[in-house]
């Protein structure tokens, strides 16, 4: 069973890299059915749901992935990002902080945490997180951040945040 689960999971990853999300979803569902304790297929099902705009499904799946894999930093980070999208900032901060406890180098999670903190009015703490994010994200993270539905680049505070972030990179 585990071999078949791994094969289905690997096939799903390959299909996802090729942009075939629906076919990948079917393979991740198969991997999940064959090994219901593995958080990875659930995590990727969350990614597929999020990219399709099915945010309630994505939230549920990322949450499930954090339960199945409590040390899976990426699951906590994506759960936090989806919670931010839903404007559940306190819950998002908790999930993102857990992700960063597990893996402090997750720059995108740190940036999303900074956005949440700024949205909550915790500007000083947000600036510290922007500074820390600047150390782990690429030199120009704008393409990465534009691709995220959770980043509101057209809002004035996020434009300012990005400017501060870029100044800290120099």
């Amino acid at each position: 069973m585990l071999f078949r689960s791994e094969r289905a999971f690997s096939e799903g990853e390959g299909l996802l890299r090729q942009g075939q999300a629906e076919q990948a979803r079917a393979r991740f569902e198969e991997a999940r059915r064959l090994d219901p304790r593995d958080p990875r297929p659930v995590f990727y099902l969350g990614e597929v749901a999020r990219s399709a705009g099915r945010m309630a499904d994505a939230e549920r799946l990322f949450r499930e992935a954090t339960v199945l894999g409590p040390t899976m930093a990426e699951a906590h980070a994506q759960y936090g990002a989806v919670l931010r999208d839903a404007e559940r900032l306190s819950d998002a901060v908790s999930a993102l902080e857990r992700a960063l406890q597990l893996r402090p180098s997750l720059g995108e999670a740190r940036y999303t945490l900074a956005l949440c903190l700024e949205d909550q009015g915790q500007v000083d703490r947000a600036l510290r997180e922007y500074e820390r994010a600047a150390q782990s994200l690429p030199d120009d993270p704008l393409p990465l951040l534009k691709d995220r539905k959770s980043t509101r680049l057209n809002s004035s505070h996020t434009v300012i945040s990005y400017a501060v972030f870029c100044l800290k990179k120099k």
Side-chain angles (χ1 to χ4, degrees):
M1 285 287 238
L2 288 180
F3 175 74
R4 288 181 19 208
S5 172
E6 281 299 318
R7 187 175 70 215
F9 177 76
S10 294
E11 290 171 359
E13 283 184 308
L15 289 164
L16 198 56
R17 277 192 298 275
Q18 295 171 15
Q20 300 177 34
E22 273 309 302
Q23 294 88 340
R25 185 190 57 73
R27 299 310 296 149
F28 292 135
E29 288 286 0
E30 177 72 6
R32 179 184 189 190
R33 186 184 65 74
L34 293 168
D35 186 2
R37 295 173 306 187
D38 187 351
R40 299 171 308 152
V42 178
F43 173 80
Y44 278 101
L45 286 166
E47 290 284 344
V48 169
R50 185 173 188 185
S51 69
R54 296 189 329 266
M55 302 311 276
D57 289 340
E59 180 181 331
R60 179 183 50 77
L61 289 161
F62 287 135
R63 172 72 182 126
E64 184 180 340
T66 67
V67 171
L68 291 171
T71 61
M72 188 177 185
E74 296 84 359
H76 290 278
Q78 294 306 317
Y79 182 51
V82 168
L83 290 170
R84 180 176 185 272
D85 290 345
E87 298 181 8
R88 292 176 41 208
L89 298 177
S90 294
D91 294 334
V93 166
S94 295
L96 293 160
E97 286 175 337
R98 178 66 181 139
L100 292 165
Q101 286 173 346
L102 294 167
R103 188 172 306 149
S105 63
L106 288 176
E108 190 176 350
R110 194 164 298 283
Y111 185 84
T112 303
L113 174 60
L115 291 171
C116 290
L117 294 169
E118 189 174 357
D119 287 343
Q120 290 180 323
Q122 299 183 51
V123 177
D124 290 340
R125 188 168 168 221
L127 285 173
R128 284 193 301 274
E129 292 302 333
Y130 285 125
E131 289 174 9
R132 293 178 74 188
Q135 297 168 9
S136 55
L137 281 172
D139 286 337
D140 184 10
L142 188 58
L144 170 78
L145 299 173
K146 270 187 175 176
D147 189 46
R148 301 298 305 201
K149 290 182 182 177
S150 64
T151 302
R152 301 180 320 235
L153 285 172
N154 60 344
S155 72
S156 60
H157 89 275
T158 302
V159 171
I160 292 166
S161 301
Y162 179 71
V164 168
F165 176 82
C166 288
L167 288 172
K168 298 291 182 185
K169 285 296 280 185
K170 296 194 184 296

